[in-house]
Amino acid sequence: MSHNALIVSSDTFPARADERRRLGIPARRTHGAVRAVRLEGVPPGAGRALVEIMAGSGGCARAARGGRGGGSVVILQGDGAHYDAFLEKASRRPATRSAALEVRDVLMRASTWPRALTLARGRLPLGQRTLIMGILNVTPDSFSDGGRYLDPSRAVERALEMAREGADLIDIGGESTRPGARPVPLDEELRRLMPVLETVAQAARALPGHRPLLSVDTRKAEVARRAAEAGADLINDVSGLTHDPAMAAAVAESGLPVVLQHIRGTPGTMQKNPRYRHLVPEIAAFLRAQIEKAVRAGVREDKIVIDPGIGFGKRRRDNLAILRNLEVLTSLGRPILVGASRKSFLKEANALPPAERLEASLAAEALAIAGGADIIRVHDVREASRVASLCDAVLRD
Ligand code: HH2
């Protein structure tokens, strides 16, 4: 059984050599970041052995009952040298071997953060700056821009405007997935989407210099197939491959990269009393399972982006906790996309309509970037690009 290994805290301060210099810390005096790794579903005997091995390696550890799938939750803590000694011993014992391999894998993934997303043709560089995904909903009922871009010529105009404002990607959707939304039949989704996608793809090809990539926000395999033929560069599936059983194969066949988003239930049911015992580990376990599903269907792992799914089966406090703990998802070693723009969790007791949520959206987006987001999905492209560029100057230096 998988132990859903996650780095739950990482004292990366001050891990980087240039930052240590600025702080006046001699390089030899630091021993690398101290990290805490969480494992779950560990049989109690193996849990006790892991705790002993980590303590004997100079780090510290604790095991307690609880967590997904029974067994113990084990928290290991130490720096690089402690983990080296721990892994050496724990991978030799049969009872602790599988846990040790997962710990090694998660530490390795977090230290080799993806530098690019592989596209059908070429690569999209990541890590140098935050990428901006502009939202274009060609729907009558999206929670913020519903009805504004139903006319294809207005939609194309808006896409080109977002490209000028600095959008690296434009996410076009023909089905609203707001809480309580009704599913849209295939022919209706195609009718809304295809003319806009085809025209935007053509117009984007004619743009001088910077051409935004085109993403299609759909849960349906047939829409993904048709979008790929019409020039889409990315498929964005808010159901994380849970809606349409043919989606994983369709994405694999298209050769396009895909965003796998966490959702609890469906748009129709997701806000009916969502409850989590351990929010972030449950989101991570879902995303891991869906990455495996995609890979089994033939999607290359370096074409997968993950998304915690803000607002998709979460209470306000869950959405806030995702932003607070986003960094934990870097354990999965995949690029992270976050969509917080104008969502209802941003408003406090004095409810503001979506169009009045700009400042809170930008604050949430800055927090997401600080937590490790590579791509932010936004309505307000110009403002978000400006915020991202300051965040990047501080964080990516
Ligand atoms: N949020 C929405 C739609 N698609 N895709 C990803 N990957 N992440 C998100 O957070 C996300 C998404 C909902 O926002 P919006 O498109 O503005 O509204 P609606 O679903 O009503 O069309």
Side-chain angles (χ1 to χ4, degrees):
M1 183 205 159
S2 154
H3 300 306
N4 195 26
L6 294 170
I7 299 177
V8 288
S9 86
S10 173
D11 165 23
T12 48
F13 175 78
R16 288 168 35 183
D18 55 344
E19 250 356 272
R20 286 201 298 264
R21 258 195 313 279
R22 282 181 196 142
L23 289 163
I25 302 172
R28 272 181 293 115
R29 301 293 294 277
T30 58
H31 214 56
V34 173
R35 287 170 173 171
V37 175
R38 177 189 188 274
L39 300 163
E40 63 189 22
V42 181
R48 279 193 297 276
L50 289 166
V51 170
E52 262 168 45
I53 297 170
M54 192 52 160
S57 304
C60 52
R62 204 164 56 82
R65 300 291 271 169
R68 241 172 28 98
S72 299
V73 169
V74 175
I75 307 290
L76 307 167
Q77 191 170 345
D79 66 18
H82 302 142
Y83 277 109
D84 285 347
F86 164 82
L87 291 170
E88 159 75 21
K89 293 178 221 162
S91 55
R92 275 196 265 121
R93 288 209 212 165
T96 52
R97 191 173 152 71
S98 70
L101 293 179
E102 281 191 45
V103 172
R104 173 173 293 153
D105 181 67
V106 86
L107 292 172
M108 199 262 300
R109 279 174 183 271
S111 63
T112 52
W113 190 231
R115 301 243 167 269
L117 177 68
T118 302
L119 304 170
R121 276 174 300 281
R123 284 151 66 84
L124 179 64
L126 299 172
Q128 296 155 12
R129 62 182 184 82
T130 306
L131 301 181
I132 310 293
M133 174 185 265
I135 301 171
L136 183 61
N137 285 313
V138 284
T139 60
D141 57 343
S142 286
F143 82 92
S144 181
D145 57 354
R148 288 185 67 183
Y149 305 114
L150 271 177
D151 170 356
S153 65
R154 290 213 57 206
V156 173
E157 216 175 276
R158 176 67 187 137
L160 295 179
E161 182 180 41
M162 288 196 284
R164 282 194 299 277
E165 289 175 347
D168 299 285
L169 304 107
I170 292 174
D171 190 37
I172 311 176
E175 178 187 50
S176 170
T177 46
R178 71 182 196 290
R182 293 251 177 119
V184 172
L186 172 66
D187 52 354
E188 174 62 14
E189 190 174 335
L190 287 170
R191 196 187 62 74
R192 293 176 187 173
L193 176 77
M194 294 311 290
V196 174
L197 175 63
E198 283 159 5
T199 323
V200 174
Q202 204 176 16
R205 273 194 291 274
L207 283 179
H210 172 76
R211 176 182 91 81
L213 297 180
L214 301 183
S215 158
V216 168
D217 189 343
T218 185
R219 303 180 294 161
K220 299 189 182 74
E222 185 55 23
V223 177
R225 266 188 223 109
R226 299 275 290 274
E229 284 164 14
D233 300 286
L234 180 88
I235 301 301
N236 175 21
D237 180 359
V238 298
S239 84
L241 305 179
T242 60
H243 176 74
D244 184 338
M247 187 59 141
V251 170
E253 213 174 294
S254 74
L256 297 185
V258 63
V259 179
L260 301 181
Q261 192 206 246
H262 174 268
I263 188 170
R264 173 69 64 89
T266 63
T269 62
M270 66 191 182
Q271 290 309 112
K272 291 189 181 141
N273 200 22
R275 286 284 178 279
Y276 297 85
R277 184 147 177 240
H278 301 294
L279 172 76
V280 180
E282 287 173 42
I283 292 174
F286 171 97
L287 291 172
R288 281 200 156 115
Q290 300 316 99
I291 291 172
E292 266 177 41
K293 180 176 179 176
V295 169
R296 273 198 310 275
V299 180
R300 283 173 47 166
E301 199 179 331
D302 58 4
K303 291 187 176 181
I304 298 174
V305 176
I306 56 170
D307 182 334
I310 289 194
F312 286 81
K314 281 115 188 156
R315 296 163 295 176
R316 179 167 194 255
R317 67 165 85 155
D318 300 323
N319 296 312
L320 299 175
I322 288 172
L323 286 178
R324 206 178 298 121
N325 297 294
L326 188 66
E327 204 173 346
V328 174
L329 294 182
T330 63
S331 304
L332 274 60
R334 300 307 318 138
I336 298 174
L337 185 152
V338 172
S341 188
R342 300 190 189 178
K343 287 187 178 169
S344 64
F345 83 103
L346 298 166
K347 65 180 195 265
E348 293 186 62
N350 55 342
L352 291 168
E356 296 272 328
R357 296 178 197 155
L358 173 64
E359 298 85 350
S361 299
L362 296 173
E365 284 148 18
L367 290 165
I369 295 169
D374 296 280
I375 308 174
I376 52 173
R377 183 179 180 277
V378 307
H379 296 89
D380 304 285
V381 171
R382 186 183 42 223
E383 292 83 350
S385 310
R386 290 176 180 171
V387 165
S389 91
L390 189 271
C391 293
D392 292 344
V394 173
L395 298 165
R396 306 189 199 264
D397 192 12

